[in-house]
Amino acid sequence: MRNGPDAGAGARSARWHRAGVVAFLRDQLRRQICTGQGRCPWPVTLIVDSQSVKAAETVSKATRGFDAGKKINGRKRHIAVDTLGLPVMITVTPADTTDRDAARELLWRLRVMQPQITQIWADSAYAGQLTTWSDDFLKMTLKTVSRPRGAKGFVVLPRRWKVERTLGWIMKSRRNVRDYERLPQHSEAHLTWALITLMTRRLTRKGPQPRWSRKSPA
């Protein structure tokens, strides 16, 4: 167990996460950024994706798994962002959880908490029965964006690049390169705090100041 100030901060973050404080801060900051850019504060279209990361020794066997595709033993982060790449919801599961299975829980929570959402963009891992289920039971249109045939290496894909950029923002915080949290809920709170920090910096950022000023005529 962790001792000292970090342990106290982690406990407070867990309590705030359970009480919905962290999600409230996330949503308020996202809405403020959207309205500042002349956009609707309530997202209608989202992009979803997942990211597998290695787990530290502090992560229990019950909450970790092996992602055979990525060859990673750890946890998987499932994130939904708006069209600006700002976070709407984050869930954490063992890495062996398929994207389709995790998406059912994620989309169901989005339908309950964000009833105005009508369209979801994702990669081909979310295709299949999930598309029909989402349309029939949640009244949400799930569309997939596939890689071009014959493409090698990194390719910028329409719409999907926005959520991939957000995952890159998360990884800029060095602690997020690996999952150290004992519980998945603690990981969700920690990831959300990282994006809250990013949004507050964006809101408080000031434009470049000119080094000279034009004198007004006498």
Side-chain angles (χ1 to χ4, degrees):
M1 297 179 63
R2 292 177 296 178
N3 297 318
D6 289 343
R12 284 195 299 273
S13 178
R15 289 197 300 269
W16 289 2
H17 181 67
R18 289 194 300 268
V21 176
V22 179
F24 176 79
L25 293 174
R26 175 200 65 204
D27 294 341
Q28 291 299 315
L29 291 170
R30 187 189 68 248
R31 291 166 189 163
Q32 189 171 348
I33 293 174
C34 290
T35 54
Q37 297 190 16
R39 293 171 174 261
C40 177
W42 305 98
V44 176
T45 300
L46 300 183
I47 310 101
V48 299
D49 203 355
S50 65
Q51 179 189 59
S52 296
V53 294
K54 294 181 180 180
E57 295 179 356
T58 52
V59 176
S60 65
K61 293 182 179 180
T63 61
R64 67 194 298 163
F66 183 73
D67 185 342
K70 301 294 180 60
K71 302 296 188 293
I72 290 178
N73 187 338
R75 284 178 175 159
K76 185 180 289 187
R77 302 158 177 172
H78 309 269
I79 183 170
V81 302
D82 64 8
T83 53
L84 292 177
L86 303 177
V88 177
M89 186 172 291
I90 299 175
T91 61
V92 176
T93 66
D96 57 355
T97 304
T98 65
D99 290 344
R100 293 188 185 92
D101 291 340
R104 283 180 176 267
E105 175 68 20
L106 180 67
L107 296 180
W108 178 262
R109 290 174 58 186
L110 286 170
R111 169 51 67 211
V112 173
M113 302 178 67
Q114 303 283 347
Q116 78 284 351
I117 296 174
T118 59
Q119 185 169 266
I120 304 290
W121 290 96
D123 63 21
S124 56
Y126 296 84
Q129 295 182 354
L130 180 64
T131 303
T132 306
W133 176 83
S134 176
D135 187 45
D136 293 343
F137 292 94
L138 303 181
K139 306 305 178 183
M140 296 168 63
T141 302
L142 179 62
K143 297 184 178 181
T144 60
V145 180
S146 303
R147 287 172 57 89
R149 293 184 178 180
K152 297 181 179 180
F154 177 76
V155 179
V156 178
L157 300 175
R159 300 179 179 85
R160 276 179 52 188
W161 68 268
K162 295 180 179 180
V163 67
E164 292 171 351
R165 180 184 60 179
T166 305
L167 293 171
W169 289 341
I170 290 175
M171 297 296 277
K172 286 185 178 180
S173 178
R174 289 187 299 172
R175 186 176 175 183
N176 292 333
V177 174
R178 181 170 296 198
D179 197 322
Y180 296 92
E181 304 304 317
R182 187 173 61 87
L183 298 176
Q185 296 86 347
H186 295 175
S187 295
E188 295 170 4
H190 188 76
L191 295 169
T192 305
W193 275 119
L195 291 171
I196 285 175
T197 302
L198 184 144
M199 288 189 288
T200 54
R201 289 176 178 173
R202 179 177 296 188
L203 286 169
T204 57
R205 182 188 305 156
K206 296 181 179 179
Q209 298 296 324
R211 297 184 179 180
W212 57 274
S213 60
R214 185 175 181 180
K215 294 182 179 180
S216 59

